[in-house]
Amino acid sequence: MKNVKRYASVSRLKPERADYYKHLHANIWPQINDMIKQCNIQNYSIYFYNNILFSYFEYTGDDYDADMKKMAADPETQRWWKECVPCMNPYTEAGPWLDIDEVYHLD
Amino acid sequence: MKNVKRYASVSRLKPERADYYKHLHANIWPQINDMIKQCNIQNYSIYFYNNILFSYFEYTGDDYDADMKKMAADPETQRWWKECVPCMNPYTEAGPWLDIDEVYHLD
């Protein structure tokens, strides 16, 4: 069985851009999903409540930083982020998503 | 392969009770995990940020309501909830957790 590392993170949406963000993700470009898979991410979900976004995914590779750099270097992914990121009102200036702490897990 | 339904929900912690809630979940009673498993829940994680709780799990049974009733009827689970629920400041009066909407998923 592959080694799985879970990542959870939070962000917020700008209220006036929330519908567009949801529309984008309900109609995600196939090449974006392909790149996510190529970067060893699986079981990826994003949830929304009260302008808060919550993201959960599982990483099955062995070099997360390298895979994230690969994703960031992909021109289609950059084009996707140019649509999504302006919809967001992040908790931190370090990036659109902020990793959060796991307090409980049961396999 | 089993049919999997994902559930995500949010709650909040009372700031003065957050440490105790985290302590409880870092030391969860084995019989609570056993009952969760018996109720067909897997890959269950709880995350915490800024007094917000986020919960994610996967349900693999075929009668969610019946399994939730079974869990609620378990005396040890009731004892556990008597410790946890007073730490929480729910978004809704309907219960400690509020189910939230998925806006994106990739297997």
Side-chain angles (χ1 to χ4, degrees):
Chain A
M1 190 178 161
K2 287 181 292 189
N3 191 34
V4 170
K5 187 169 184 322
R6 295 176 298 280
Y7 286 87
S9 54
V10 286
S11 190
R12 291 174 297 200
L13 289 180
K14 296 175 184 163
E16 71 278 14
R17 302 275 188 101
D19 283 347
Y20 183 58
Y21 184 94
K22 287 190 235 179
H23 173 80
L24 282 170
H25 284 78
N27 302 277
I28 192 165
W29 311 338
Q31 61 270 37
I32 302 304
N33 278 345
D34 289 346
M35 177 54 55
I36 291 169
K37 286 280 180 196
Q38 284 176 41
C39 292
N40 299 303
I41 285 172
Q42 68 179 21
N43 201 15
Y44 184 2
S45 299
I46 300 177
Y47 295 91
F48 175 80
Y49 172 66
N50 200 21
N51 292 321
I52 299 171
L53 289 173
F54 179 88
S55 152
Y56 170 90
F57 63 78
E58 295 161 358
Y59 179 71
T60 61
D62 50 24
D63 191 338
Y64 184 74
D65 289 344
D67 277 327
M68 292 307 102
K69 277 182 191 161
K70 176 176 155 183
M71 191 185 290
D74 173 53
E76 285 299 290
T77 297
Q78 291 170 4
R79 202 160 69 85
W80 173 252
W81 288 347
K82 271 193 190 150
E83 295 297 313
C84 298
V85 174
C87 301
M88 300 166 83
N89 175 26
Y91 282 104
T92 164
E93 292 181 8
W97 291 97
L98 173 67
D99 286 349
I100 59 175
D101 293 332
E102 184 178 287
V103 297
Y104 168 72
H105 180 74
L106 175 67
D107 281 339
Chain B
M1 193 178 158
K2 287 184 292 190
N3 192 33
V4 170
K5 186 169 183 329
R6 295 174 299 279
Y7 286 87
S9 54
V10 286
S11 190
R12 291 173 297 201
L13 289 180
K14 295 173 185 163
E16 71 278 15
R17 302 277 188 101
D19 283 348
Y20 182 59
Y21 184 93
K22 287 190 233 178
H23 173 80
L24 282 170
H25 284 78
N27 301 277
I28 193 165
W29 311 338
Q31 62 268 39
I32 302 304
N33 278 345
D34 290 346
M35 177 54 57
I36 292 169
K37 287 279 182 198
Q38 283 176 42
C39 293
N40 298 304
I41 285 171
Q42 68 179 19
N43 200 15
Y44 185 2
S45 299
I46 300 177
Y47 295 89
F48 175 81
Y49 172 68
N50 199 21
N51 292 321
I52 299 172
L53 289 173
F54 179 87
S55 152
Y56 170 90
F57 62 77
E58 295 161 358
Y59 177 72
T60 61
D62 50 25
D63 192 339
Y64 183 74
D65 289 344
D67 277 327
M68 291 307 101
K69 278 182 190 162
K70 176 176 157 183
M71 191 184 290
D74 173 52
E76 285 300 290
T77 297
Q78 291 170 4
R79 203 160 68 84
W80 173 253
W81 288 347
K82 271 193 189 148
E83 295 297 312
C84 297
V85 174
C87 301
M88 299 165 83
N89 174 28
Y91 282 103
T92 164
E93 290 180 11
W97 291 96
L98 173 67
D99 285 349
I100 58 174
D101 294 333
E102 183 178 289
V103 297
Y104 168 72
H105 179 74
L106 176 67
D107 280 340

